[in-house]
Amino acid sequence: MVKVTIDNKNIEVDEGTTIIETAKLAGIEIPHLCYLKGINQIASCKVCSVEVEGINNLVTACNTPVSENMVIHTNSPKAILNRKKAVELILSEHDARCPMCIRSGNCSLQKLSNDLNIRQLPFTEYIIKQDWDENFPLIRNSAKCIRCMRCVQICDKVQDLNIWELSGTGLRANIDVSGYNSINESSCSLCGQCITHCPVGALVERDDTDLLREAIFDPNKTVVVQVAPAVRTAWGEEMGLAREEATVNKIFDGLKQIGVDYVFDTTFSADLTIMEEATEFLERYTKGELKDRPMFTSCCPGWVRFIKGQYPHLVGQLSTAKSPMQMFGSVMKSYFAETLNKDPSEIFSVAVMPCLAKKSERERDLYYKEFAGHDTDCVITTRELIRMFKIANINPKTLIDADPDDLFKDGSGAGVIFGSTGGVMEAALRTAYHSLTGENPSADAFKVVRRDSEKTGLVEANFKINDIDLHIAVVNGLANTRKLINDLENSKKHFDFVEVMACPGGCVGGGGQPIHDGEELAFTRSKNLYFLDKNANPRFSHENQDIINLYENFFGEPNSHLAHQLLHTDHYSWQMPNVSKNEELYYSTID
């Protein structure tokens, strides 16, 4: 422990603690832009510079450790002047048309500029503008980039994909796609973590709100909307609602107010996914297909893009079950359309998702009888949903708890926890246990697979059901996933069933969720889903009455011919770019 004085406050901290973390412990917030604890401590912005007695030059607080009897001044005249000049220099290379920026009001640079009372720039402006494919789900505006390197570090250290790199020097330095590729040629998983960690509006999702709005006003379209489990954990954060107030039912009310025809909860199709995936797993396990390699879950499109781009030889190990979003769209374009006596092309299927990769997943084809199109027509993120509510001038305090529409009202607790890492595995095991024994386990019998802290990236567990010994793993974050796969390939580990989610914490920490700069809220949001599960009735997917009715009236049974036609997918029908290059790189890393 070392004793430090910071802004006239005495504090004792562990040796090696940085100045910025010491200040935080003392209740002092040192302004910063590029800093992300444990991820990005390169002091590129210089905004966090502070004065230390006995040292002539200012030091950067984010990467300077404290020492015994150090005396620090975070807001001395010298520190404030330097901070202001640093921000002015950044602004001189930043498109500062804030009213037209999607991050206006939630931008660290904008807030810092206002706090420092910057009203004009003493420097000549130099803005870099690069072309970008505006149809790609992830949009980059180079004119907004402040070269903080956060996107580079998140992609390298947390997701291990290395999509971004710093190119050029001096005024020409810029962040670009690695290897001189376009973003379409890259191996981007579309996890969106670069977006949620960007302090400004340089990285955003492709906005599809106009597409939804056009469908709402089209008299020939019946607009049906599904809302994913993770969305309910976060949408209230920007609407001024406490977590317990921000129910999914209020989202339903808001959607109806903006003109949507039918609203549903994706927990329904999460239960449907479990019926198909659990049945498929037991079938593949009993056939001996999983002796060498496990079956992987397939409901996370970021993970699917990752395995198809990085380990294409393992694609056959993916469950063929579609994601809950896709399954719901397939049911909308078939059973639901027939129930309404409408052509599938008249149904406009919308998904509200916490995920950027879902915008890519919606491109997958659907063929049913004479219909050839997509199961999902439009995907909007949680952030886009909030923007639509604000555009419609909806007062969140006046929203009521509206029920989802008929036919698909029911959802189980097992479906709700899909939004958190470990949720898919836990839900599947609950139903697999019932399939094998004919009775339900305790609903919390498999809770060991849950993430028990913010840092948990991998959970391993063994379960014995009758005479079957199951070895399972749950992993979140793509760097953790890469390590797990390499251990599997090197025979260091063996599992029968593995759940993978691309985003740290799962969908609750998805790239389409509300942005809180410097805060990681996935773990907190997950607790909300487990609370809902604990108080749900039923808590098992196979007890969802609407699911039971759907099989009795339409599909017959899980993994039936019709179920395979509508609820399963061919993972070989498309591939990621640079597959052969990535395959060669993969084999070079195997011992």
Side-chain angles (χ1 to χ4, degrees):
M1 302 293 287
V2 294
K3 295 178 180 179
V4 178
T5 301
I6 182 164
D7 290 350
N8 299 316
K9 290 184 177 182
N10 297 321
I11 185 172
E12 194 171 4
V13 297
D14 290 329
E15 186 178 10
T17 305
T18 59
I19 292 176
I20 200 168
E21 286 302 311
T22 300
K24 190 173 183 180
L25 292 170
I28 299 168
E29 192 68 33
I30 297 178
H32 56 274
L33 284 173
C34 65
Y35 170 71
L36 282 175
K37 184 179 179 181
I39 303 294
N40 199 38
Q41 297 176 200
I42 60 174
S44 64
C45 71
K46 300 296 186 289
V47 171
C48 70
S49 296
V50 297
E51 190 170 2
V52 177
E53 291 187 9
I55 301 178
N56 289 330
N57 296 325
L58 296 176
V59 301
T60 47
C62 68
N63 60 0
T64 302
V66 295
S67 58
E68 183 68 23
N69 297 323
M70 181 181 276
V71 179
I72 306 160
H73 302 284
T74 71
N75 286 312
S76 68
K78 186 177 180 180
I80 291 175
L81 179 62
N82 181 83
R83 190 170 298 145
K84 188 171 183 177
K85 289 298 180 185
V87 173
E88 287 172 343
L89 282 167
I90 291 170
L91 286 170
S92 72
E93 300 177 6
H94 174 77
D95 178 359
R97 293 179 295 174
C98 297
M100 291 181 287
C101 180
I102 210 166
R103 289 290 297 277
S104 183
N106 184 23
C107 170
S108 297
L109 179 59
Q110 184 185 48
K111 180 182 183 303
L112 193 51
S113 301
N114 288 331
D115 290 347
L116 291 169
N117 199 31
I118 296 174
R119 295 292 174 261
Q120 57 185 6
L121 294 180
F123 305 110
T124 302
E125 292 186 45
Y126 181 84
I127 311 296
I128 295 177
K129 295 183 179 180
Q130 293 177 303
D131 292 333
W132 194 264
D133 182 359
E134 299 293 324
N135 292 316
F136 195 71
L138 187 154
I139 305 296
R140 182 175 182 273
N141 183 350
S142 61
K144 296 284 185 184
C145 180
I146 63 172
R147 301 194 293 278
C148 66
M149 298 288 287
R150 283 191 185 184
C151 58
V152 176
Q153 300 276 36
I154 283 289
C155 195
D156 289 2
K157 294 180 179 178
V158 176
Q159 300 297 66
D160 198 17
L161 273 171
N162 313 109
I163 300 302
W164 308 107
E165 69 179 4
L166 181 67
S167 62
T169 58
L171 278 176
R172 298 184 182 278
N174 192 39
I175 305 298
D176 211 338
V177 180
S178 299
Y180 302 101
N181 290 315
S182 71
I183 190 65
N184 290 296
E185 297 168 330
S186 74
S187 298
C188 178
S189 71
L190 287 171
C191 67
Q193 293 303 304
C194 56
I195 295 177
T196 58
H197 290 84
C198 177
V200 292
L203 291 163
V204 298
E205 72 272 31
R206 182 189 69 215
D207 191 289
D208 291 324
T209 56
D210 285 343
L211 183 62
L212 172 53
R213 200 171 288 108
E214 289 172 9
I216 289 173
F217 292 118
D218 186 341
N220 298 316
K221 295 291 185 182
T222 298
V223 180
V224 297
V225 180
Q226 57 170 307
V227 181
V231 173
R232 72 204 65 194
T233 69
W235 77 282
E237 293 167 4
E238 285 192 29
M239 299 292 285
L241 295 178
R243 204 170 298 279
E244 60 272 11
E245 293 180 291
T247 62
V248 68
N249 301 86
K250 288 180 180 174
I251 299 178
F252 296 154
D253 183 38
L255 288 168
K256 285 293 183 77
Q257 287 190 38
I258 65 175
V260 165
D261 297 302
Y262 294 92
V263 291
F264 300 102
D265 193 333
T266 312
T267 55
F268 163 80
S269 50
D271 287 332
L272 187 59
T273 300
I274 286 302
M275 298 302 293
E276 293 297 318
E277 194 167 62
T279 302
E280 178 190 5
F281 168 70
L282 291 176
E283 183 177 306
R284 291 174 70 168
Y285 180 89
T286 54
K287 286 182 176 179
E289 296 177 8
L290 309 178
K291 286 182 178 179
D292 298 322
R293 289 170 171 164
M295 186 179 92
F296 294 105
T297 58
S298 56
C299 54
C300 171
W303 148 241
V304 172
R305 288 177 64 89
F306 178 80
I307 193 173
K308 287 174 73 70
Q310 305 292 310
Y311 304 93
H313 64 287
L314 294 179
V315 168
Q317 300 306 121
L318 284 169
S319 165
T320 62
K322 289 182 178 179
S323 71
M325 182 188 90
Q326 291 177 288
M327 285 196 184
F328 193 95
S330 296
V331 172
M332 289 295 105
K333 298 295 180 79
S334 55
Y335 181 63
F336 187 71
E338 291 171 11
T339 302
L340 296 183
N341 197 27
K342 288 183 176 291
D343 189 271
S345 61
E346 297 178 75
I347 302 292
F348 191 82
S349 174
V350 182
V352 183
M353 294 283 140
C355 173
L356 207 67
K358 292 292 183 183
K359 289 179 179 285
S360 174
E361 187 181 64
R362 74 148 297 276
E363 301 296 332
R364 306 287 86 79
D365 294 325
L366 173 69
Y367 300 98
Y368 177 64
K369 295 182 178 179
E370 293 80 22
F371 176 73
H374 305 289
D375 45 47
T376 309
D377 298 296
C378 175
V379 173
I380 63 171
T381 62
T382 310
R383 294 192 294 268
E384 288 172 280
L385 172 73
I386 294 166
R387 292 202 290 273
M388 291 198 75
F389 281 1
K390 288 181 177 179
I391 290 171
N393 201 30
I394 290 175
N395 182 350
K397 298 293 185 181
T398 65
L399 293 173
I400 63 171
D401 285 321
D403 290 332
D405 286 295
D406 287 334
L407 279 187
F408 312 120
K409 278 190 172 183
D410 290 347
S412 75
V416 167
I417 59 177
F418 255 63
S420 177
T421 180
V424 178
M425 180 63 70
E426 187 172 353
L429 290 173
R430 290 179 190 179
T431 290
Y433 184 98
H434 179 268
S435 298
L436 289 169
T437 67
E439 57 185 40
N440 286 335
S442 163
D444 295 319
F446 306 106
K447 68 178 183 178
V448 68
V449 304
R450 299 175 187 177
R451 189 186 194 205
D452 59 4
S453 77
E454 294 183 10
K455 296 182 179 179
T456 306
L458 171 66
V459 175
E460 303 176 34
N462 298 322
F463 299 104
K464 189 174 182 63
I465 306 176
N466 287 348
D467 57 347
I468 294 178
D469 289 310
L470 293 181
H471 306 280
I472 65 93
V474 171
V475 63
N476 65 98
L478 293 176
N480 295 324
T481 301
R482 188 186 296 279
K483 184 178 184 303
L484 174 66
I485 292 179
N486 287 342
D487 283 346
L488 289 171
E489 294 293 84
N490 286 316
S491 301
K492 292 180 180 178
K493 292 184 178 181
H494 170 75
F495 299 105
D496 303 303
F497 196 9
V498 176
E499 179 207 301
V500 184
M501 288 196 178
C503 294
C507 306
V508 286
Q513 295 281 61
I515 298 171
H516 303 275
D517 193 12
E519 292 184 71
E520 300 292 345
L521 295 175
F523 190 60
T524 301
R525 292 167 180 164
S526 290
K527 292 179 181 178
N528 189 30
L529 294 182
Y530 287 115
F531 172 80
L532 294 173
D533 168 43
K534 184 177 180 180
N535 292 277
N537 184 24
R539 295 184 68 186
F540 301 90
S541 297
H542 52 271
E543 290 185 350
N544 181 333
Q545 190 57 50
D546 284 339
I547 292 291
I548 295 171
N549 294 340
L550 182 62
Y551 277 109
E552 288 180 350
N553 298 329
F554 191 62
F555 287 117
E557 61 182 6
N559 281 17
S560 66
H561 176 73
L562 184 56
H564 264 280
Q565 181 185 357
L566 286 170
L567 306 180
H568 291 252
T569 188
D570 176 10
H571 290 300
Y572 293 100
S573 63
W574 64 278
Q575 68 177 25
M576 291 284 288
N578 293 331
V579 165
S580 57
K581 179 180 177 181
N582 289 331
E583 183 82 340
E584 181 180 340
L585 179 64
Y586 159 73
Y587 280 118
S588 70
T589 65
I590 293 298
D591 295 336

